[in-house]
Amino acid sequence: VGGGVGGGDDGVLRFDEAGCGRCRLRDVVVVNRGINWDAPGTVAWSAQLTRHEACTITLHGNAEFDARGVRLEGARDYTVPS
């Protein structure tokens, strides 16, 4: 989620209530090929993952994304402007 959370030059993560997006997923099913466990460098415990497919939702500023009762299949990339 972008916009409401940011890191400064000092490495501190900051939360901004005024610029915070909101994502609501209710009864949503995501079906895709997911993680490529055979790819070199894929290490689950360190969160270094190579994916075949992924579903990403990027919110800018105070954008909102609502989904209810849907099935998201394959590689999906949703970007919501502020």
Side-chain angles (χ1 to χ4, degrees):
V1 177
V5 178
D9 292 336
D10 57 1
V12 176
L13 193 63
R14 291 185 176 77
F15 178 78
D16 176 8
E17 183 81 25
C20 182
R22 183 172 302 192
C23 181
R24 294 178 202 89
L25 304 175
R26 295 182 184 102
D27 297 320
V28 172
V29 176
V30 177
V31 179
N32 60 37
R33 293 176 50 217
I35 298 170
N36 180 356
W37 293 109
D38 296 325
T42 295
V43 181
W45 60 265
S46 67
Q48 294 180 8
L49 305 174
T50 303
R51 299 182 184 276
H52 291 290
E53 295 177 323
C55 179
T56 61
I57 301 170
T58 305
L59 306 177
H60 295 276
N62 59 351
E64 295 189 16
F65 183 91
D66 289 294
R68 180 182 294 227
V70 296
R71 180 179 171 108
L72 307 175
E73 294 189 37
R76 297 283 179 218
D77 184 17
Y78 299 97
T79 301
V80 185
S82 59

